[in-house]
Amino acid sequence: MKALAYDAVMTPLGWLGLTAARRKLVRGLSGHVLEVGTGTGLALPGYPDTVTAVTAIDVDEAALARARRRRPDARLLYASVESLPFPAAAFDAVVSSLVFCSVEAPARALAEIFRVLRPGGALRMLEHVRAPSPALATVQDLLTPAWMRVSGGCRLDRDTFDLVRRAGFDVERRVQRLQGVSELIIARRPAG
């Protein structure tokens, strides 16, 4: 989805609570944070003062240009979450917000996040996901092929929670909203 169109779609959702949810997502973080799939940077202004540095990546250069206006002090890079250009254990926290629905290889992306996150570091995700209700999940399955074509690859039926657990993260909190199609995941890379 083009950067300008993305902002036009996200603005009303922000008024309806998405902006507040993104601010809650990053509350309490500190140190050096990596935001994957930053898009146009809608979450960037919400980081608390305890975050000493923000690095954000995306695969859309036009979106990154808009993100730079929202947080000029952030380090913004054109990069894919499936192949992060950072050394191991480089970040204290990693954040994603409405990203993993469109990641081509989510297991590989989570392995990369695990690699660049320091032991004991936090993973915070706010994602739309496959519904726990079989009826709603079936509707998502039916809509996903067409939705992917019009949305730039977004999958309505991804089970992100299971992917996070299989990647080796310790899930500390999982909050499902909107009949389970929206999910907050707070996890940690094991310290040992």
Side-chain angles (χ1 to χ4, degrees):
M1 188 178 292
K2 298 293 182 199
L4 195 56
Y6 182 83
D7 280 355
V9 169
M10 289 294 128
T11 296
L13 294 176
W15 299 331
L16 294 172
L18 183 57
T19 299
R22 283 180 166 144
R23 289 209 166 115
K24 286 180 187 174
L25 182 67
V26 300
R27 187 180 297 149
L29 292 179
S30 61
H32 193 174
V33 176
L34 171 64
E35 182 174 304
V36 298
T38 195
T40 62
L42 292 171
L44 291 176
Y47 283 92
D49 292 340
T50 51
V51 171
T52 55
V54 177
T55 299
I57 65 154
D58 203 278
V59 294
D60 183 332
E61 292 187 56
L64 286 171
R66 291 182 70 81
R68 182 160 314 287
R69 286 183 247 146
R70 291 196 164 102
R71 179 109 188 200
D73 65 326
R75 179 181 176 210
L76 301 176
L77 299 169
Y78 178 83
S80 165
V81 67
E82 291 112 332
S83 182
L84 295 171
F86 309 110
F91 296 97
D92 299 299
V94 177
V95 173
S96 78
S97 176
L98 305 179
V99 173
F100 269 78
C101 59
S102 59
V103 171
E104 280 297 317
R108 185 170 62 217
L110 284 161
E112 277 290 275
I113 289 172
F114 193 93
R115 180 184 67 77
V116 302
L117 192 58
R118 71 165 171 78
L123 171 63
R124 304 258 183 109
M125 304 177 84
L126 177 63
E127 301 288 343
H128 67 85
V129 296
R130 182 179 183 80
S133 154
L136 190 49
T138 298
V139 171
Q140 288 176 304
D141 291 341
L142 294 171
L143 291 175
T144 291
W147 182 249
M148 284 176 63
R149 285 192 293 280
V150 299
S151 68
C154 173
R155 292 160 186 82
L156 300 170
D157 57 356
R158 178 146 295 154
D159 187 352
T160 303
F161 177 74
D162 186 53
L163 289 164
V164 168
R165 287 185 326 162
R166 284 192 279 144
F169 290 95
D170 293 333
V171 176
E172 296 177 342
R173 188 167 171 220
R174 177 189 193 191
V175 179
Q176 294 178 305
R177 296 185 179 104
L178 303 172
Q179 298 186 24
V181 300
S182 174
E183 192 163 75
L184 167 71
I185 300 169
I186 298 176
R188 200 162 287 285
R189 179 179 168 175

